[in-house]
């Protein structure tokens, strides 16, 4: 589908993003996503609830933390319990009883993470189910069909995902295939008015390939763009350059979703680079290993040093865990077999991520984002100048200095 | 010299019986807690906890549950290893675990985990924690209680007789003697402890299956200024309890009416009723936890006065469930699935995959108001943590509801109907 090759989007694409404020120095933006299940303030961090559950916390708890969009995983849900059942249950919203927004990925990422079980062809990805051994073909059409059944508010195209550490012709093949798969997804999508299909920019760590992908995909009539194929094993130096390249070529009036990014520093830097949406399993996963996220990094609460630490995880945090419990109690509970310990930390870590993004957003709206970044880096690394080189470089590239 | 009369008078708590029906005591315990303004209903149960937290539940999810008992049970087996920490903390275990408003009872052992035998001596008792064995003499035990500052605590006692088969009379006698000695020593140390003045010692009735020893234990313990009694050694499988019920009646007959009687290790609905009829007031609520751990949901009916349509549906349901139960029992040879009772349904069964009903129709718990059997089934199949959270919320609420109905049945003289209903559902 051809269109104007400029950064302005085509008239017929649904405008789901409203810009509320922009940083005058960097590319940071504050906005609002208007989605079928309510408004979402951006920049936003989306916790990942892979199998129709946010790992031990109820949807009521998630709502109480202020979360308004989270992720579900098409690959997993497509296998168990399957799209037909979920459709009978009134979609994924009905099945898990989540009143706010859902974003589902296409199942493509599992191609990289479960590559021994899959084979990629032009048709799609052939999987062997780890649960019953059955073979399934996940094609662009099938992926969209499953996501239509799930009824998520934002759905992702099936992309040909290649690990960022792979080099050579495979990267180019995957990039061009992703474009063709995008068109197939657009054609197969049955509910464009109820579910917003996002494209995913590929091209690995090759600037030319990325640029080509950007040029082609932005010609397509989609409500939003994701930056994919990063956040794997690549160096941070290469990572930020690809993010910056992507945001420089993506339309301003559509959301930019950077997939798989969730470390606090990465979030702050990538907001500066112009990204609006993020997802990552890290905060919830690390919680289940006893690690609590704090402005100075993290606390591994299982360690003996916290045995008699009677303060909360973070005295500034307003989450229920910090309001009611001490590090010492959580330490003791983590050494028991009561799963409640994990849930306390999951609640806190999600709160940490959401509070961080909220603070980022407020600073953009109040026109002090660069100062916020400096404060953030100072707290995290002891001094803004002690921030990792890649982050310093990335911020400098968009006009924020840390010295 | 211990002045027992002074200790007796210092008890502010007061048990008042509203009525006694068929041996069942209905009433209230008032003036409980450090500030003396809490009340508990009897018959009742205590909230089961592991390391000071309801299993799987945070403050938020615990408070979603209706009818949570005023008193929670803590176990020394999960807390003894944190003695040093609590000592330094100074403010007591209630505040430490984030339950400052709850009444707290500290038992020696965790009713769910079996205790290995051979670790009680004349001078010490051992509890088993995650970190290993914690051996406690009377002074160490009391030092730990000083750090915990619970409202009630089970006295150090020799309960080993119930861990073993075929115990000799000599060993049974020893368990009674030791427990009384521990009790006298603990009472003495309590006298000397400023911090433990507001805590109440619960005397432990031992004696195994020997009537003579049971009576001796009851009579002797009753002479001491304890705040209540724990009937120990009645736990086991359903058949062992049945044979012990006669002993139980004889024991409670020896105990003063105005002090509460707790029993350890008995939590199944049918067994609860049997024990209430024999003068027991308070129970542990670990049964709903065990049900949760095997992926099951309590569905037994305790509404002895439902509308006729409901009765029919529930009866049919029960028939179905009994059939399934028999099938399952034939299939399973090992694992805790063998212990599935007919008070519950197994959500892992394929038939729940597309069942969009709540766990129990009409149940007002968070799980039943928000989720379906199909969803719980999915969570169990995919091994998700939320399964335990939701099942625990339902199972606790259902169980606490059962106790509420027991009290209602006693109030309105409908105990026979309730008993009949429960026994129809017991496998």
């Amino acid at each position: 589908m051809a269109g104007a090759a400029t950064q302005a989007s085509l008239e017929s694409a649904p405008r789901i993003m409203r810009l509320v404020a922009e940083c005058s120095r960097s590319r940071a933006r504050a906005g609002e996503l208007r989605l079928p299940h309510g408004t979402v303030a951006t920049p936003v961090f989306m916790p990942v609830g892979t199998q129709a559950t946010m790992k031990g916390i109820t949807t009521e708890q998630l709502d109480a933390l202020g979360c308004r969009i989270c992720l579900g995983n098409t690959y997993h849900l497509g296998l168990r319990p399957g799209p037909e059942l979920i459709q009978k249950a009134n979609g994924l919203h009905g099945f898990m009883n989540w009143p706010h927004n859902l974003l589902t990925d296409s199942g493509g990422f599992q191609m990289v993470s479960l590559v021994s079980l899959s084979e990629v062809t032009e048709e799609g990805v052939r999987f062997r189910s780890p649960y019953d051994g059955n073979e399934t073909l996940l094609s662009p059409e099938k992926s969209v069909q499953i996501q239509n059944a799930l009824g998520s508010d934002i759905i992702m195209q099936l992309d040909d995902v290649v690990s960022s550490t792979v080099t050579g012709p495979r990267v180019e093949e995957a990039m061009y295939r992703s474009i063709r798969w995008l068109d197939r997804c657009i054609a197969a999508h049955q509910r464009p008015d109820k579910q917003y299909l996002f494209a995913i920019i590929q091209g690995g760590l090759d600037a030319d390939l990325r640029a080509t992908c950007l040029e082609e995909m932005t010609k397509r009539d989609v409500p939003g763009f994701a930056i994919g194929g990063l956040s794997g094993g690549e160096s941070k130096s290469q990572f930020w350059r690809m993010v910056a390249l992507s945001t420089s070529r993506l339309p301003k009036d559509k959301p930019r979703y950077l997939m798989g990014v969730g470390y606090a520093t990465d979030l702050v830097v990538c907001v500066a680079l112009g990204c609006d949406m993020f997802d990552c399993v890290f905060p919830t996963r690390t919680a289940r290993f006893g690690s609590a996220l704090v402005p100075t990094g993290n606390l591994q609460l299982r360690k003996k040093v916290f045995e008699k630490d009677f303060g909360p995880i973070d005295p500034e945090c307003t989450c229920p865990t910090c309001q009611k419990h001490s590090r010492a109690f959580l330490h003791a509970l983590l050494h028991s077999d009561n799963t409640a310990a994990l849930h306390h930390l999951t609640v806190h870590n999600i709160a940490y991520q959401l509070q961080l993004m909220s603070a980022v957003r407020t600073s953009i709206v109040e026109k002090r984002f660069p100062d916020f970044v400096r404060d953030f880096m100072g707290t995290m690394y002891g001094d803004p100048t002690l921030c990792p080189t890649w982050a310093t470089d990335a911020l400098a590239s968009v006009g924020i200095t840390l010295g | 010299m211990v002045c027992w009369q002074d200790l007796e008078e210092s008890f502010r708590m007061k048990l008042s019986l509203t009525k006694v029906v068929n041996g069942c005591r209905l009433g209230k315990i008032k003036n409980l807690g450090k500030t003396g303004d809490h009340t508990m209903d009897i018959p009742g149960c205590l909230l089961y906890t592991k390391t000071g937290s309801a299993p799987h539940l945070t403050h938020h999810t615990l408070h979603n549950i209706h009818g949570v008992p005023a008193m929670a049970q803590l176990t020394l087996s999960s807390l003894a290893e944190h003695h040093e920490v609590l000592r330094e903390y100074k403010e007591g275990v209630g505040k430490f675990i984030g339950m400052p408003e709850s009444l707290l009872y500290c038992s020696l052992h965790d009713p769910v985990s079996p205790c290995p035998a051979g670790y009680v001596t004349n001078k010490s008792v051992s509890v088993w924690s995650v970190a290993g064995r914690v051996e406690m003499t009377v002074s160490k035990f009391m030092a730990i209680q000083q750090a915990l500052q619970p409202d009630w605590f089970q006295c150090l006692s020799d309960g080993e007789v119930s861990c073993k088969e075929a115990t000799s009379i000599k060993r049974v006698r020893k368990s009674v003697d030791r427990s009384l000695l521990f009790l006298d020593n603990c009472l003495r140390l309590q006298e000397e402890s400023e911090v433990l003045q507001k805590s109440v010692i619960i005397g432990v009735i031992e004696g195994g299956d020997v009537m003579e020893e049971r009576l001796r234990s009851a009579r002797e313990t009753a002479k001491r200024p304890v705040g209540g009694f724990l009937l120990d050694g009645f736990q086991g499988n359903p058949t062992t309890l049945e044979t012990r019920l006669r002993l139980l009646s004889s024991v409670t007959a020896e105990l003063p009416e105005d002090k509460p009687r707790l029993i350890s290790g008995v939590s199944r609905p049918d067994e609860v009723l049997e024990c209430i009829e024999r003068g027991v007031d308070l129970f542990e609520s670990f049964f709903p936890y065990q049900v949760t751990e095997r992926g099951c949901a309590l569905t037994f009916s305790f509404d002895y006065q439902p509308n006729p349509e409901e009765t029919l549906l529930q009866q049919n349901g029960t028939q179905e469930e009994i059939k399934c139960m028999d099938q399952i029992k034939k299939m399973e040879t090992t694992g805790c699935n063998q212990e599935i009772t007919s008070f519950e349904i197994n959500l892992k069964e394929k038939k729940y995959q597309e069942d969009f009903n709540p766990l129990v129709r009409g149940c007002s718990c968070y799980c039943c108001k928000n989720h379906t059997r199909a969803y719980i089934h999915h969570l169990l199949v995919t091994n998700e943590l939320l399964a335990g959270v939701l099942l625990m919320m339902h199972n606790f609420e259902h169980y606490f509801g059962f106790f509420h109905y027991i009290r209602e049945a006693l109030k309105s003289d409908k105990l026979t109907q309730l008993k009949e209903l429960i026994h129809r559902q017991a496998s």
Side-chain angles (χ1 to χ4, degrees), chain A residues 264-265 268-269 294-297 352 356 359-360 362-364 366-388 395 400-403:
Chain A
T265 301
V268 172
V269 171
V294 290
T296 49
Y352 171 80
L356 173 64
V360 163
T362 304
S363 76
I364 298 170
E366 292 179 357
K367 304 199 182 313
R368 49 176 181 80
F369 177 66
D371 281 332
F372 174 88
V373 176
R374 281 183 276 269
D375 278 338
F376 172 85
M377 295 301 174
T379 307
M380 184 65 79
Y381 299 101
D383 190 88
T385 56
L386 296 174
C387 164
L395 291 166
I400 298 183
T401 50
L402 297 177

Side-chain angles (χ1 to χ4, degrees), chain A residues 6 47 68 73 106 138 151 158 163 171 177 203 209 293 322 393 397:
Chain A
T6 65
R68 294 295 174 262
N73 192 300
S106 61
L138 188 66
L158 182 69
S163 165
V171 183
R177 181 171 290 142
L209 291 178
L293 299 176
C322 290
D393 293 343
S397 80

Side-chain angles (χ1 to χ4, degrees), chain B residues 210-393:
Chain B
V210 180
M211 179 66 87
E212 192 186 310
E213 287 303 303
R214 279 286 177 189
L215 294 178
R216 182 167 76 94
S217 181
R219 286 169 190 151
E220 285 302 314
T221 309
K223 288 179 186 166
R224 275 74 171 167
V226 293
F229 302 94
L230 176 68
L231 303 154
D232 193 18
F234 289 94
Q235 54 267 48
N237 57 60
T239 18
T240 55
L241 179 67
E242 224 177 283
T243 51
R244 288 168 175 159
L245 287 174
R246 200 169 62 86
L247 272 170
L248 186 57
S249 304
S250 307
V251 168
T252 56
E254 301 292 327
L255 301 175
E257 284 188 350
D258 63 347
K259 290 185 180 171
R261 302 90 175 265
L262 299 84
I263 192 164
S264 58
V266 175
S267 191
R268 277 175 51 126
D270 49 345
E271 298 180 347
V272 162
L273 286 178
E274 301 277 18
C275 291
I276 290 175
E277 282 184 281
R278 287 160 181 83
V280 180
D281 303 323
L282 293 166
F283 299 81
E284 299 161 323
S285 63
F286 61 88
F287 178 66
Y289 169 67
Q290 292 172 315
V291 172
T292 301
E293 293 309 281
R294 46 181 181 250
C296 295
L298 289 175
T299 52
F300 71 96
S301 180
F302 46 76
D303 188 352
Y304 50 88
Q305 277 185 317
N307 61 64
E309 198 184 287
E310 275 293 332
T311 318
L312 195 64
L313 285 163
Q314 274 165 26
Q315 277 174 349
N316 289 342
T318 313
Q319 301 280 6
E320 280 277 343
E321 280 145 31
I322 290 176
K323 268 189 241 152
C324 280
M325 279 300 309
D326 292 338
Q327 256 186 304
I328 290 163
K329 278 177 180 165
K330 285 182 193 135
M331 290 190 310
E332 302 287 344
T333 48
T334 54
C336 69
N337 280 345
Q338 208 173 17
E339 298 155 28
I340 296 183
T341 67
S342 48
F343 298 114
E344 59 202 85
I345 54 174
N346 182 1
L347 269 309
K348 286 194 206 128
E349 286 177 41
K350 226 169 177 306
K351 68 178 186 180
Y352 296 116
Q353 201 176 52
E354 292 200 20
D355 188 342
F356 295 116
N357 290 304
L359 293 175
V360 171
R361 215 178 35 245
C363 175
S364 55
C365 86
Y366 176 87
C367 182
C368 289
K369 291 209 107 80
N370 288 284
H371 295 293
T372 61
R373 293 170 168 193
Y375 184 60
I376 307 292
H377 173 87
H378 163 74
L379 295 175
L380 286 165
V381 163
T382 54
N383 248 311
E384 285 283 347
L385 288 167
L386 192 62
V389 177
L390 294 176
L391 282 175
M392 191 75 264
M393 288 168 74

